[in-house]
Amino acid sequence: MAGGRRASLQLPSVSALLLLCIFSSSWGHAVAKFDPANMTALQKHVSFFDRNKDGIITPTETFEGFVAVGCEIAFSTAAATTVHTALALKTTPAGTPPPYLNIYVENIHKAIHGGDTGVYDAKGRFVPQEFEGIFRKYAKIRRDALTYPEIEFMLAANLDPLDPTSVAPQVEWGLIYTLASDWLGFLHKDDIRGIYDGSVFTKLEEKRKPFSDM
């Protein structure tokens, strides 16, 4: 690869109790209130994992979404656990009884984590000038793509040492780089744009369909 390396993705192990929670379908939940026709970029980003498009992402749906883009079963299981542990409570509407296992698309802006690049505003809307700023600041080899070392430098520059969730982008970017970078080690601008509106996930799923149908 030119100026890059494949990302090493590591997630915490999953206990039997958490596995039970992930694959349980018996939990109730609040009614989702969001407008699918007027979603923010951040809502579109997470909606790929809302497999039945009801505005509520269950741990099982997140697991299915990771598998759909090409992740292994073990990684998908651990990722679903990690994501829902971090985001479910933050996005659950007030007054919803526990357990807090699901992610609500309408409230995903409440879970914006530390270390964010600023491409989402506080409401989860896409900020074009911040997106272009990524390439002005960090794209040194090609102006329309990033290598993994450049991504690492960007993540380090945005790391918030006081916010433990600021490590989340390392896994997110590492995953997309691993799945979507070209054979020379470049993650292209259109795929990076697709991270923010979720279209890169759809692209990866469509790319895998001929193989999954075999």
Side-chain angles (χ1 to χ4, degrees):
M1 281 192 237
R5 61 175 176 79
R6 288 290 170 185
S8 176
L9 304 179
Q10 296 182 353
L11 289 170
S13 59
V14 186
S15 69
L17 178 59
L18 287 176
L19 282 172
L20 177 63
C21 291
I22 284 178
F23 295 106
S24 171
S25 59
S26 61
W27 305 115
H29 49 67
V31 176
K33 299 176 183 178
F34 84 113
D35 183 0
N38 294 289
M39 290 192 292
T40 65
L42 182 55
Q43 288 173 333
K44 292 177 181 178
H45 169 83
V46 299
S47 284
F48 171 81
F49 296 91
D50 181 11
R51 308 300 281 177
N52 64 1
K53 305 306 176 188
D54 66 351
I56 301 170
I57 307 171
T58 67
T60 301
E61 286 180 305
T62 299
F63 168 82
E64 292 171 351
F66 278 114
V67 171
V69 300
C71 297
E72 296 180 352
I73 298 297
F75 178 90
S76 300
T77 303
T81 302
T82 302
V83 168
H84 282 260
T85 299
L87 305 185
L89 180 59
K90 293 179 180 179
T91 64
T92 298
T96 303
Y100 305 113
L101 298 176
N102 300 322
I103 295 169
Y104 289 77
V105 175
E106 63 185 291
N107 292 327
I108 192 61
H109 63 282
K110 296 181 179 180
I112 292 177
H113 43 60
D116 187 74
T117 57
V119 177
Y120 295 127
D121 68 11
K123 294 294 185 181
R125 295 169 296 205
F126 183 78
V127 183
Q129 58 269 33
E130 294 292 340
F131 177 71
E132 295 299 331
I134 289 175
F135 300 91
R136 288 194 302 270
K137 295 176 184 177
Y138 306 111
K140 304 303 182 183
I141 299 176
R142 289 183 52 167
R143 305 311 299 176
D144 62 347
L146 295 176
T147 63
Y148 196 70
E150 289 169 343
I151 291 172
E152 288 184 310
F153 187 79
M154 175 188 70
L155 295 174
N158 288 284
L159 183 68
D160 181 355
L162 300 180
D163 186 345
T165 66
S166 68
V167 300
Q170 298 176 18
V171 176
E172 296 169 355
W173 280 85
L175 172 62
I176 299 301
Y177 179 85
T178 299
L179 297 175
S181 59
D182 68 18
W183 67 280
L184 291 173
F186 291 103
L187 184 61
H188 292 264
K189 190 174 186 178
D190 57 341
D191 289 322
I192 295 172
R193 176 65 176 83
I195 295 174
Y196 289 99
D197 64 12
S199 60
V200 71
F201 299 127
T202 302
K203 179 179 177 180
L204 289 169
E205 182 176 21
E206 291 295 324
K207 185 178 180 181
R208 287 192 71 251
K209 276 188 175 180
F211 300 98
S212 60
D213 293 339
M214 292 176 63

